[in-house]
Amino acid sequence: ILDTAKTMKLIIQSGTKKTPHLQGKTVITLFYENSTRTRTSFELAAKYMSGNSVNISVSTSSVAKGETLIDTGRTLDVMGTDVIIIRHSMAGAPDLLAKHTNAAVINAGDGLNEHPTQALLDMFTVMEAKGDLNGLKVAIVGDILHSRVARSNIWGMTKMGAKVVVAGPPTLLPSHIKDLGVEAYTDIEKAVEDADVVMALRIQKERLEKGLFPSVSEYARFFGINENIVKKAKKDALIMHPGPVNRGVEITSALVDGDSSLIDTQVTNGVAIRMALLYLM
Ligand code: CP
């Protein structure tokens, strides 16, 4: 997938942005949760490859009338859909859908479980900037407990030979996290020390309501990525964030827009990765 995405990026950069690979194929995005980057990049990827892409707006679909996930999937399936891209609040929803449809199913984020295409685009972005993931130290900072992005990146980056460390408040670090082959810290400076990549995660306001940390400002003070924290990392460390960003909370605005930031590149590469996936499927 990562190798194919290199070719897809060249196609995006070529300006013509058109290949015939998905001619006659139908791709449906079925998102039960909000999205800007993932949904749009899948739709663009399908269009760039001459596929027919359709978005189902869950709030105005028959899901709002009580239709089950399986029945919605079957309905889309019998319309001749080739690929369904699903984001759902329940872990395992894409797997369930795949068992009940002939269409290929791609997970665009399922509950607290995984966000595999985000991890693929993150891995691609690091490899593009550094040449290789093998031997790099990647520090992922924030709400590890509720982050499907963190989980997918841990699987992917450790498989590619990177050393992954995670950091966050004790209430937001899963107790079993070391079983995934990572080091875990509550001291962000230790986590970031000599890192090649520093990835901040979005702080979700609903976690505040559950009392998992006292206030947004306190979170920003102790766990926000700022210029002083980044000085602990390697001089050429890269700054990443899956988006959407809460500027000034999990990361300073200056770092988001700074020279070391790969945040915009991550978004661009998201289209290339999703083109690669659709092409290979
Ligand atoms: N990173 C990510 O999944 O962003 P969206 O929620 O905008 O798709």
Side-chain angles (χ1 to χ4, degrees), residues 198-218:
V198 180
M199 183 187 293
L201 299 175
R202 183 170 74 90
I203 273 297
Q204 297 169 40
K205 301 250 160 59
E206 53 273 28
R207 309 301 169 213
L208 181 64
E209 282 150 25
K210 286 190 178 160
L212 290 170
F213 56 94
S215 70
V216 166
S217 60
E218 192 163 321

Side-chain angles (χ1 to χ4, degrees), residues 34-39 87 115 118 242-244:
N34 295 344
S35 168
T36 300
R37 291 151 201 77
T38 313
R39 201 188 88 187
R87 172 172 288 186
H115 191 348
Q118 178 69 43

Side-chain angles (χ1 to χ4, degrees), residues 85-102:
I85 294 145
I86 178 172
R87 172 172 288 186
H88 202 284
S89 59
M90 300 299 286
D95 187 46
L96 180 70
L97 187 63
K99 285 182 175 131
H100 290 87
T101 53
N102 293 313

Side-chain angles (χ1 to χ4, degrees), residues 30-34 58 63 67-69 72 86-89:
L30 177 63
F31 276 51
Y32 289 77
E33 287 185 349
N34 295 344
V58 165
V63 171
E67 188 172 62
T68 66
L69 171 62
T72 301
I86 178 172
R87 172 172 288 186
H88 202 284
S89 59

Side-chain angles (χ1 to χ4, degrees), residues 149-195:
V149 174
R151 247 175 290 286
S152 285
N153 265 310
I154 289 169
W155 287 121
M157 290 193 177
T158 54
K159 192 164 188 73
M160 298 296 281
K163 174 184 174 175
V164 178
V165 304
V166 297
T171 48
L172 298 177
L173 284 175
S175 53
H176 66 275
I177 193 72
K178 287 179 188 161
D179 296 345
L180 299 183
V182 302
E183 290 174 15
Y185 296 90
T186 50
D187 180 344
I188 180 176
E189 291 194 11
K190 281 202 182 121
V192 166
E193 205 168 73
D194 289 330

